[in-house]
Amino acid sequence: MARAVIISCAITGGSDTKHMNPAVPVTPEEIANEAIQAHAAGAAIAHIHVRDPQTAKASMDPALYKEVVDRIRDSGCPILLNLTTGPGGILVVENDAPHNFRDGSHLSSAEERIQHVIENRPEMCTLDVTTMNYSDLAVTNTKAMLDRMAMLIEPLGVKIEMEVFDTGQLWQAADMCERGVIKDNLPLFQLCLGIPWGGRATIESMQLMRDQLPHNAIWASFGISRFEFPMVASAVVLGGHVRVGMEDNLYLSRGKLTPGNRPLVERAVQIIESIGDYPANVDEARNILGIKN
Amino acid sequence: MSRPVIISCAVTGGADTKEMNPAVPVTPEEIAEEVLSAHSAGAAVAHIHVRNPSTGKASMKTSYYSEVVKRVRDAKCDVVINLTTGPGARFAVDTMSPLEPGPGSVMKTAEERVAHVIENKPDICSLDVATMNFGDRPMVNSPDMLAEMAQLIQSAGVKPELEVFDVGHVSLANHLVKTGIISDSKPLYQLCLGIPWGAPASPESMTLMRNMLPKDAIWASFGISRYEFPMVATATVLGGHVRVGLEDNLYISRGKLASGNAQLVERAVKIINAIGENVATPSQAREIFGLNEGNDTRKAAE
């Protein structure tokens, strides 16, 4: 029987990618329009970061989030909104004085990291259950920080998407569920693959992680860069949901930049349908995720 | 044909385990004695941490390492010596004001972390290619820090053992090998499994990680606590080497504390032999690792 597969679109992310692809949306208006377009193409969830409109760099400004959310809601677009809480965990260690946090470190309190979630009450937000070398930077999310963020987020009625980048992080996320820090009875895991130095974007990695999930888990997975579409196919076949978008991948095919998020979502729809499943609409996605209207 | 399988014994570690098993060695003399008995039982490699003799807690003091190494060498024991460089990467944040290091943060420079290695020139030392939540607190080893440590270690003629705790760590270790930061024709990987929050101790994760290794890699793997012996069997079957010891596991069976490291090594010997392989001697281990005369501290000590 054909299965409803939820497509998330990660619209813009927080990396310095604007100079690599001019289609990367920067202003709240651009980000909102891209989310609306992604929905029109078949995405049921928009995963949203915001950027400083002047510099195009990642921002945590709640006012920018509010403008994005308002614009999407005012347009009548029903897409589920999934705001990131990722920024605020970056640690840059100075080799010669490792107790000094070098310029570039960006560590915020739990309250600062979820201010925009408190103000905007999206359907969902991410929680990076991860401490890892994220390319050259260390990202740190301690147990105490994660517990505190989770305990602040869930009472807002916002569903947590646990982002995990490797097998041990998945284990820690499952432990948060087991300890009851995350109370969701349909806990949602996002298996983020192919980011240096996390789990690889291979079917083997995805399968190993899937097999580790709690029985009641809902899961999605994605691969970055050239692994975006192979990982869409893998997740569909392995029974998960999928994610595409310009946060993860700037190309439609080798050497050919994507002109926006919409063509990436369209490609995911093609993959899902040609395998024999179908993209979930927003109501189906709400039902699968246990998000009430 | 039967294959020589190298048994490493991790004799004490750095966790607060003395109160959990009184057999955990603490003083340099006790640690050296445990190395000698592990060697007699069949271990070809001793993986060594030191402890403060008064408190039983982990220490980074070079003089303790020197005493352990001297006692082992003076006993004419040819066991391959592997000193840890793990301590000094414990990061704690103050959750309320995260730009301040929290209590319990112990972050050291590369020089501080390898001082005992430079001083004692062991055959091998570990290098934790890992940033992760290690239980409640992060262990932070940035790629920059690892590069600096690798340079200092290899200049001393010591072979690094790349300790990896998850899939992504294998990728980073492979990257260090590929870019020449680890310059070793037989790069040595230790797949450390079952430590929260790293890869689980399962045949599936060991297989996945093994399949990622470079062709010329030498590898070993271990699981902690009740997974110690199942992972000895798994690594033996998958073509790797093994590690046991009180650092990783305090029990010989459910509810029954191990009487010492030798008992754990004896069990590993049994598993390896029962599967049909044989236990490598220290000189076979040296050959497998490609340890040259230059960094053979046994020769140097004579």
Side-chain angles (χ1 to χ4, degrees):
Chain A
M1 209 185 76
R3 179 172 70 93
V5 177
I6 302 169
I7 302 175
S8 283
C9 184
I11 307 289
T12 188
S15 303
D16 281 340
T17 46
K18 180 67 180 170
H19 64 278
M20 295 158 77
N21 184 336
V24 169
V26 171
T27 66
E29 183 175 6
E30 289 168 352
I31 293 168
N33 286 342
E34 282 290 304
I36 293 164
Q37 286 292 313
H39 172 257
I45 302 172
H47 172 61
I48 292 171
H49 291 238
V50 292
R51 296 176 181 271
D52 180 322
Q54 256 69 55
T55 63
K57 306 248 185 229
S59 168
M60 291 173 74
D61 186 350
L64 296 172
Y65 277 104
K66 183 169 192 314
E67 187 181 343
V68 173
V69 171
D70 286 349
R71 281 181 179 275
I72 295 170
R73 291 299 175 234
D74 291 349
S75 79
C77 174
I79 194 165
L80 301 175
L81 298 179
N82 175 4
L83 305 187
T84 187
T85 67
I90 291 174
L91 173 70
V92 181
V93 177
E94 194 171 323
N95 274 14
D96 296 331
H99 254 127
N100 293 348
F101 300 152
R102 203 202 285 164
D103 288 351
S105 284
H106 181 188
L107 292 160
S108 309
S109 69
E111 284 76 4
E112 289 168 319
R113 292 177 65 180
I114 64 164
Q115 192 54 43
H116 58 300
V117 175
I118 294 171
E119 286 177 20
N120 289 294
R121 306 292 170 105
E123 284 85 6
M124 307 160 67
C125 73
T126 58
L127 184 67
D128 288 340
V129 185
T130 178
T131 289
M132 66 185 284
N133 284 322
Y134 200 97
S135 290
D136 295 342
L137 307 167
V139 171
T140 59
N141 290 284
T142 63
K143 180 191 178 196
M145 175 66 81
L146 292 167
D147 283 4
R148 181 160 181 81
M149 288 175 73
M151 286 187 290
L152 292 170
I153 292 166
E154 275 193 334
L156 301 171
V158 175
K159 186 179 182 82
I160 293 174
E161 179 187 77
M162 290 168 271
E163 289 194 332
V164 296
F165 299 74
D166 215 332
T167 67
Q169 300 171 24
L170 195 161
W171 186 13
Q172 183 170 17
D175 177 71
M176 291 181 74
C177 298
E178 212 175 294
R179 285 188 293 121
V181 176
I182 289 178
K183 297 184 171 60
D184 198 338
N185 59 14
L186 294 170
L188 175 61
F189 292 74
Q190 181 71 260
L191 318 180
C192 314
L193 302 179
I195 294 118
W197 304 102
R200 287 201 305 176
T202 62
I203 296 186
E204 291 88 341
S205 276
M206 194 188 287
Q207 194 164 353
L208 180 71
M209 291 169 77
R210 180 201 65 170
D211 291 347
Q212 255 185 277
L213 291 166
H215 289 303
N216 55 343
I218 312 292
W219 69 281
S221 183
F222 69 89
I224 63 164
S225 317
R226 69 182 183 282
F227 299 106
E228 178 157 271
F229 300 124
M231 291 302 103
V232 167
S234 304
V236 172
V237 173
L238 289 173
H241 302 281
V242 305
R243 168 171 142 173
V244 291
M246 297 190 76
E247 171 169 351
D248 304 331
N249 167 39
L250 301 169
Y251 292 86
L252 207 43
S253 60
R254 189 169 168 83
K256 198 179 159 200
L257 290 172
T258 184
N261 282 281
R262 182 168 185 150
L264 300 173
V265 175
E266 286 167 351
R267 182 74 72 82
V269 170
Q270 279 170 20
I271 294 169
I272 292 165
E273 289 181 342
S274 55
I275 288 173
D277 288 321
Y278 62 96
N281 64 31
V282 172
D283 284 341
E284 288 167 323
R286 280 182 181 273
N287 196 31
I288 292 165
L289 298 168
I291 296 173
K292 293 181 193 73
N293 277 300
Chain B
M1 208 187 74
S2 105
R3 176 175 72 90
V5 175
I6 301 166
I7 301 175
S8 283
C9 184
V11 292
T12 188
D16 284 341
T17 47
K18 180 67 180 172
E19 71 233 31
M20 297 157 76
N21 184 336
V24 169
V26 170
T27 67
E29 184 175 4
E30 288 168 353
I31 294 169
E33 286 303 319
E34 282 293 300
V35 170
L36 299 178
S37 58
H39 170 255
S40 302
V45 181
H47 174 65
I48 295 169
H49 291 238
V50 292
R51 295 177 181 270
N52 179 323
S54 317
T55 63
K57 306 252 183 221
S59 168
M60 293 176 72
K61 210 167 174 182
T62 296
S63 62
Y64 298 151
Y65 280 104
S66 303
E67 186 182 342
V68 173
V69 172
K70 184 170 187 311
R71 283 179 178 275
V72 173
R73 292 306 178 219
D74 285 353
K76 302 289 177 212
C77 175
D78 66 347
V79 72
V80 173
I81 291 184
N82 174 357
L83 303 185
T84 186
T85 68
R90 270 292 168 139
F91 173 74
V93 277
D94 182 336
T95 305
M96 300 313 287
S97 75
L99 273 169
E100 298 300 321
S105 219
V106 184
M107 298 287 285
K108 301 287 186 186
T109 64
E111 285 82 1
E112 290 169 320
R113 292 177 66 185
V114 304
H116 60 299
V117 172
I118 311 279
E119 176 74 19
N120 288 293
K121 303 273 199 303
D123 305 284
I124 295 175
C125 72
S126 62
L127 183 66
D128 287 336
V129 184
T131 290
M132 64 186 284
N133 283 328
F134 200 98
D136 293 350
R137 275 183 297 175
M139 159 164 95
V140 177
N141 291 287
S142 69
D144 272 359
M145 176 64 82
L146 292 170
E148 199 175 324
M149 289 175 72
Q151 201 271 325
L152 293 168
I153 290 165
Q154 293 175 123
S155 301
V158 176
K159 183 181 181 84
E161 177 189 69
L162 309 173
E163 286 196 335
V164 293
F165 299 74
D166 214 333
V167 177
H169 305 174
V170 180
S171 296
L172 176 54
N174 288 350
H175 174 77
L176 297 177
V177 170
K178 204 170 147 189
T179 53
I181 290 167
I182 298 294
S183 167
D184 189 339
S185 60
K186 293 178 162 185
L188 175 60
Y189 290 69
Q190 180 72 259
L191 317 180
C192 314
L193 302 179
I195 295 121
W197 306 106
S202 69
E204 290 87 351
S205 42
M206 197 190 291
T207 305
L208 181 89
M209 290 166 79
R210 179 202 64 169
N211 289 346
M212 292 170 67
L213 298 174
K215 282 201 191 19
D216 48 3
I218 313 292
W219 68 280
S221 183
F222 69 89
I224 65 163
S225 317
R226 69 184 181 278
Y227 298 104
E228 178 158 271
F229 300 123
M231 292 300 106
V232 167
T234 307
T236 302
V237 172
L238 288 174
H241 301 282
V242 306
R243 169 171 140 174
V244 291
L246 290 169
E247 171 169 354
D248 304 331
N249 168 37
L250 301 168
Y251 292 86
I252 190 68
S253 61
R254 189 169 168 83
K256 204 178 156 198
L257 291 171
S259 58
N261 283 284
Q263 195 183 20
L264 301 171
V265 174
E266 282 161 10
R267 180 72 71 85
V269 171
K270 266 188 204 160
I271 294 169
I272 293 164
N273 287 336
I275 288 172
E277 309 293 11
N278 59 288
V279 173
T281 63
S283 69
Q284 283 176 310
R286 286 194 160 79
E287 196 184 322
I288 292 166
F289 290 142
L291 291 172
N292 58 36
E293 300 291 307
N295 55 10
D296 184 337
T297 54
R298 177 176 54 99
K299 293 268 162 52
E302 275 172 7

